[in-house]
Amino acid sequence: MTRVYLSLGTNLGNREAQLRKAVGLLQERFGLFALSSLWETEPWGRVRQPPFLNLTLGLEVSRPLSAFFSRTRAIEQRLGKRKDGFWAARNIDIDLLFWGHGYHRSPQLLIPHPYWYQRAFVLKPLLEIAPLFNPGERSLLFWLRRCEAEDPSGAVRRVGPLEGISLPPPTPLSYGKLEAQGLVLRGIVGVDKCQGLARGGRIPWDIPEDRSFFREQTRGGILCLGRRTAESLPQTFAPGERELWILSRNASFFNRFPDALVFHHPEELRDVQTPKSIWICGGGEVYAQFLPLCSEVYLTQVAADYHCDQFLDPSWRKCFPVIHCLSRSPHGAIWSYRRLGK
């Protein structure tokens, strides 16, 4: 099964109705797993024409690329596609952006789409539904910022959801699926003697050896944490040699960490290909969702009781039967939890 991303657009007739028909026809044949909002933009290329309404969507496809491409062309023809040359007005346009992380070159089709990184009307809705998708060494957010810097006047305005289309519930992630994907998640956790994580939204202890262990382990990796944990970080915190991913239902970016990628569901990890370790760093809800997906977990057990009001759910431990003590001190101990065979 290949995860595919498409961009749909129209600037003639009843634009929203046309997009709804096109999405419905695609959903009849393929598994629709993601659908962006509607975004309105000024025309690109030939500018003397009505504004466009665009969206992006994600499909799971079991058919070969050639058959899928033929189907998208057939849907365009069924909806009466007509245009006069490149960048002209049209009543429907279906562009294949990405075929997984694959490449294809033929006279009829180029994948990835040759202009995807130049178009804000592609990048903004794609960031909305697949913020962690990395088509190369640079993130979608990097290309959006470059696009906006090169064309500050190229405004793209969010209109709202496309009504009348429903998505099925996402298939839950599993450790086995992530391992097959080549993705490595590791947990790094600190608790007090009562399994407390935080008090008043903040970690109430500051132990030098714990900080040193965290920095050494996570250097060059990706820190994955929840919104409230990100907001609670001290003002002196800087990601440094690490990327920052923030899990949040709020789609806005964090001004304090302008380079952070904000994602909305754990299932969005399905789009990730990276050789870097992804470090799960809290808080409690993020640990509950992600620690069972990790290959190993490092746990700092602080010796004192800090009267926390947030605690670590212990159910993750059943996934990690191999336990080693890495170090001890008067402040506490650091433990390693691993899966069998790791």
Side-chain angles (χ1 to χ4, degrees), residues 7-21:
S7 174
L8 278 63
T10 174
N11 68 338
L12 295 177
N14 187 329
R15 300 176 302 167
E16 186 170 344
Q18 281 288 89
L19 291 174
R20 187 180 300 108
K21 289 178 184 177

Side-chain angles (χ1 to χ4, degrees), residues 28-328:
E28 286 179 4
R29 296 282 186 144
F30 311 104
L32 180 67
F33 69 84
L35 179 66
S36 77
S37 303
L38 297 169
W39 295 75
E40 189 172 63
T41 184
E42 294 303 312
W44 197 85
R46 296 186 186 181
V47 297
R48 300 183 65 179
Q49 54 181 297
F52 277 83
L53 206 57
N54 295 93
L55 60 79
T56 62
L57 57 80
L59 299 172
E60 289 189 329
V61 178
S62 59
R63 303 177 70 176
L65 171 59
S66 59
F68 176 77
F69 181 63
S70 296
R71 173 55 53 185
T72 63
R73 299 286 79 83
I75 290 173
E76 288 180 327
Q77 295 303 314
R78 178 173 173 178
L79 295 177
K81 177 176 179 176
R82 54 184 175 83
K83 68 175 184 178
D84 300 319
F86 286 108
W87 305 313
R90 75 287 309 272
N91 60 336
I92 192 64
D93 200 18
I94 302 176
D95 285 336
L96 178 51
L97 300 175
F98 300 104
W99 182 263
H101 286 82
Y103 291 83
H104 177 83
R105 295 290 183 269
S106 72
Q108 294 77 30
L109 181 64
L110 299 177
I111 298 178
H113 191 284
Y115 301 117
W116 71 265
Y117 61 94
Q118 300 176 357
R119 297 175 170 180
F121 67 82
V122 167
L123 290 164
K124 282 194 173 183
L126 193 56
L127 267 167
E128 183 185 353
I129 64 171
L132 301 183
F133 183 73
N134 52 332
E137 296 182 0
R138 302 289 191 176
S139 69
L140 297 176
L141 181 58
F142 169 87
W143 291 111
L144 175 60
R145 288 191 173 144
R146 171 170 284 192
C147 183
E148 292 176 332
E150 293 177 351
D151 183 15
S153 63
V156 179
R157 181 179 65 89
R158 183 181 179 275
V159 176
L162 179 65
E163 302 292 347
I165 301 292
S166 59
L167 294 174
T171 304
L173 284 176
S174 68
Y175 168 72
K177 290 179 180 178
L178 292 179
E179 185 180 40
Q181 188 178 325
L183 207 60
V184 178
L185 272 62
R186 293 185 167 94
I188 192 159
V189 193
V191 295
D192 70 4
K193 65 183 297 185
C194 299
Q195 298 298 300
L197 286 167
R199 186 179 67 226
R202 297 186 179 277
I203 298 173
W205 58 84
D206 184 12
I207 299 174
E209 55 260 41
D210 182 40
R211 280 190 281 111
S212 176
F213 181 79
F214 177 87
R215 289 170 179 165
E216 183 62 29
Q217 291 296 321
T218 62
R219 182 177 291 117
I222 298 166
L223 305 183
C224 177
L225 58 162
R227 176 184 58 82
R228 282 178 288 185
T229 302
E231 291 172 342
S232 72
L233 292 171
Q235 292 296 323
T236 55
F237 175 82
E241 302 171 2
R242 305 158 187 85
E243 295 181 43
L244 195 60
W245 292 359
I246 300 173
L247 178 64
S248 173
R249 295 182 182 91
N250 187 341
S252 63
F253 299 114
F254 288 70
N255 293 331
R256 184 176 165 198
F257 303 111
D259 294 325
L261 296 182
V262 179
F263 68 112
H264 319 303
H265 305 285
E267 291 76 14
E268 289 167 10
L269 287 173
R270 296 179 193 275
D271 287 321
V272 176
Q273 283 193 353
T274 178
K276 298 180 180 181
S277 291
I278 300 172
W279 291 92
I280 308 305
C281 303
E285 291 183 13
V286 172
Y287 283 138
Q289 293 181 78
F290 284 97
L291 289 187
L293 303 175
C294 291
S295 60
E296 58 186 335
V297 175
Y298 295 103
L299 178 78
T300 298
Q301 177 92 55
V302 181
D305 179 2
Y306 282 84
H307 306 287
C308 294
D309 53 25
Q310 185 180 9
F311 296 87
L312 183 65
D313 182 344
S315 62
W316 62 274
R317 295 175 187 262
K318 63 187 178 184
C319 303
F320 301 91
V322 183
I323 306 171
H324 296 289
C325 183
L326 301 180
S327 67
R328 289 186 184 273

